Amino acid sequence: LFDQFMGYKDELLQRRKEENKNSAVFPCRLRILPTCIFNTRDPIVIGVTVINGVLKAGTPICVPSKEFVYIGVVTSIEINNKQIDSASTGLDVCIKIENFGGEAPKLYGRHFDENDVLVSKITRESIDVLKEFFRDDMTKENWKLIVELKKLFEIM
């Protein structure tokens, strides 16, 4: 009976994780590789190094040094021409950023360049979802990055 209950509890947690995975924004900080600029506008396809955190497909990206200009959402991540789901600290990957909002698409070279650091655009809601459903997937370094980004975005 206990095993059935634990199995049901795990299944329920997985189902709720699946429902909330679009709201969860994992923290990441990215450095642009200046020799790996493949497409400068809609979609932006560039090579980046993950400085710290975890980059996942679906992560909204912004540039804090340029008044938090919102670039778009990471729609795919590739390494050695193979698509991957996520990239962790230290990896050099190629990402495709698409703009789904009604805003005009941002342009590499005009709105941001290789000197800017890109970060995931976290919100209070995304932090709460991470705390509730994805606590096991987060490392201590990721939580430290969340604290830094909270101060940067002035989230209380």
Side-chain angles (χ1 to χ4, degrees):
L1 189 63
F2 180 74
D3 292 341
Q4 286 178 331
F5 172 73
M6 293 308 287
Y8 171 74
K9 188 177 166 187
D10 291 342
E11 180 186 321
L12 197 62
L13 183 66
Q14 288 295 75
R15 197 174 319 136
R16 297 211 36 215
K17 250 188 187 182
E18 202 58 36
E19 290 170 6
N20 288 294
K21 75 176 184 182
N22 293 335
S23 303
V25 176
F26 284 81
C28 68
R29 187 177 289 146
L30 311 170
R31 178 180 298 115
I32 299 170
L33 299 171
T35 58
C36 301
I37 310 301
F38 303 109
N39 197 11
T40 58
R41 181 189 183 124
D42 206 23
I44 298 168
V45 180
I46 56 175
V48 295
T49 299
V50 181
I51 300 171
N52 48 7
V54 177
L55 176 64
K56 293 192 177 220
T59 303
I61 299 292
C62 71
V63 184
S65 59
K66 300 282 202 272
E67 299 172 7
F68 298 98
V69 65
Y70 174 72
I71 300 173
V73 176
V74 174
T75 54
S76 73
I77 307 168
E78 287 187 8
I79 187 166
N80 296 332
N81 295 323
K82 290 181 180 65
Q83 194 152 343
I84 57 174
D85 294 330
S86 65
S88 55
T89 304
L91 279 180
D92 291 346
V93 294
C94 180
I95 60 173
K96 178 164 80 171
I97 303 173
E98 294 186 64
N99 188 2
F100 295 114
E103 298 178 27
K106 301 301 181 255
L107 179 67
Y108 174 83
R110 179 178 295 164
H111 297 99
F112 66 102
D113 58 27
E114 72 270 359
N115 300 320
D116 296 313
V117 172
L118 308 178
V119 298
S120 54
K121 186 173 185 178
I122 61 168
T123 60
R124 167 51 51 200
E125 178 194 355
S126 69
I127 294 171
D128 292 342
V129 169
L130 284 176
K131 283 181 183 174
E132 190 171 346
F133 301 110
F134 296 93
R135 190 177 291 274
D136 298 341
D137 300 343
M138 296 282 287
T139 63
K140 211 156 198 60
E141 290 76 29
N142 289 349
W143 286 117
K144 287 178 184 173
L145 183 56
I146 284 275
V147 171
E148 288 176 34
L149 292 178
K150 274 174 63 174
K151 289 176 185 168
L152 188 67
F153 287 106
E154 297 175 358
I155 298 172
M156 293 300 131

